[in-house]
Amino acid sequence: MARMSVFRFSALALLLLSACCWAYNEVGPSQEDDSAELSVSELLERANSNLIRSANDPILTEGDIAIASEDERNADPCTSQGCKWGKNSDGKVYVPYYITNHFSDREKAIITRGLESFSSFSCIRFRPSRSSDRDWLSIESQNGCYSFVGRRGGKQVVSLARRGCLYHGTVQHELLHALGFNHEQTRSDRDNHIKVLLQNVQSGMEHNFRKIATLNQGTPYDYNSVMQYHRTAFSKNNQPTMVPIPDPNVSFGNAKEMSRNDKARLNTLYKCCECPHEHIIKINIHIHMYSTLSLDLIPLCAVSLLQKNHFQMC
């Protein structure tokens, strides 16, 4: 009887241990309880803080942008050499990707949801890579959250570390980098909207606030962009490193997913509103017709093309 009890206890212990291991592999490392309350920029800063970089890791600038050399710190691939992924004859932009086996099924589902979200508001279509693809995104759990800006050629790593990076908004943020977009606070017209307080910035982090010659796609500065960092980003004393101007009380850096302007400038960069071949119907439209409408009721293509006084329908 004693032996039977010991056997049952051992079997139960083994079963519980297996269940714990399964739960860890399925859910991944536990995330902090307050994560749901944090903005994308806060999640990224927390995930990438205090990481020990190895010789094999890419150089990071602005917290999560990977660069191949120091010469790229002030460059914008979209203006210096071209960064876009190619458009297919059907008007769609197909971006191949591969998700490595670092992730559990649940974690892959979070990544896939972020990838698929782009198809609901743009011509971007992320699709699984094929052996014939020359360029593709390799989505991996590396040292923190990071991405290169724009299409680089060949295998291009987007790191979404299992601990800290697996949220819908952070996935969108890193994919926007891979599609060619920089952070909002480094926009060429930044000084008209944000005052940077370098006296509060951590020593050695000042370069994260340098302006670059960005392509802003005719969209206004967006305090609600998923690419805008929060008020105390890279602060050494918990004091603001950025203050909106002329109104310092404007809220910013709180986005948890892509904003309307984020979507509009993506559509503009990739010409998502231009129809393939000759099947184009141009409808003249006056801007004042939109003056009484909520922005939520205006098609994204129309928003991005309002200044042209027309939009296009396929």
Side-chain angles (χ1 to χ4, degrees), residues 45-262:
E45 186 171 27
R46 183 168 69 179
N48 286 353
S49 63
N50 302 317
L51 293 178
I52 299 176
R53 311 297 297 173
S54 71
N56 296 326
D57 289 330
I59 302 170
L60 295 187
T61 186
E62 300 176 39
D64 72 324
I65 293 179
I67 55 177
S69 68
E70 292 290 340
D71 295 337
E72 294 185 23
R73 281 199 188 276
N74 296 324
D76 177 15
C78 278
T79 56
S80 61
Q81 64 194 44
C83 71
K84 295 194 297 181
W85 296 78
K87 179 176 282 191
N88 197 50
S89 59
D90 64 357
K92 304 294 192 298
V93 177
Y94 295 98
V95 182
Y97 72 89
Y98 174 74
I99 301 177
T100 64
N101 58 7
H102 299 161
F103 305 98
S104 69
D105 290 343
R106 176 183 175 274
E107 292 164 342
K108 286 181 180 178
I110 295 172
I111 297 170
T112 301
R113 176 174 172 250
L115 291 164
E116 292 178 346
S117 68
F118 284 78
S119 64
S120 66
F121 49 73
S122 75
C123 58
I124 304 297
R125 299 292 185 272
F126 290 98
R127 65 157 176 80
S129 60
R130 305 164 184 155
S131 58
S132 58
D133 290 322
R134 296 178 59 184
D135 306 329
W136 74 97
L137 299 180
S138 180
I139 302 175
E140 308 175 6
S141 177
Q142 296 294 343
N143 200 7
C145 324
Y146 64 78
S147 173
F148 290 89
V149 173
R151 183 178 186 174
R152 305 281 294 197
K155 174 184 174 181
Q156 181 173 328
V157 173
V158 174
S159 176
L160 295 171
R162 296 183 68 206
R163 186 176 295 278
C165 303
L166 294 177
Y167 301 94
H168 183 64
T170 54
V171 173
Q172 287 187 329
H173 181 105
E174 299 305 336
L175 292 175
L176 278 175
H177 281 319
L179 289 168
F181 289 91
N182 289 276
H183 292 133
E184 196 75 357
Q185 70 271 4
T186 61
R187 275 176 57 138
S188 54
D189 61 349
R190 186 269 315 280
D191 290 340
N192 297 327
H193 308 278
I194 290 283
K195 180 179 180 181
V196 177
L197 305 177
L198 289 177
Q199 66 270 25
N200 294 329
V201 176
Q202 299 169 26
S203 178
M205 294 293 176
E206 295 85 357
H207 63 84
N208 293 324
F209 296 93
R210 294 174 184 166
K211 291 185 297 181
I212 56 180
T214 54
L215 290 176
N216 301 323
Q217 305 303 319
T219 58
Y221 193 94
D222 186 7
Y223 294 118
N224 297 314
S225 169
V226 76
M227 308 306 281
Q228 170 68 57
Y229 270 27
H230 61 283
R231 188 178 294 265
T232 59
F234 304 104
S235 178
K236 65 182 179 183
N237 51 17
N238 207 33
Q239 294 300 307
T241 54
M242 292 175 284
V243 175
I245 53 176
D247 183 359
N249 296 316
V250 170
S251 176
F252 73 98
N254 301 317
K256 295 183 179 180
E257 61 182 348
M258 290 174 65
S259 71
R260 192 170 189 83
N261 277 321
D262 289 329

Side-chain angles (χ1 to χ4, degrees), residues 15 147 309:
L15 182 62
S147 173
N309 291 329

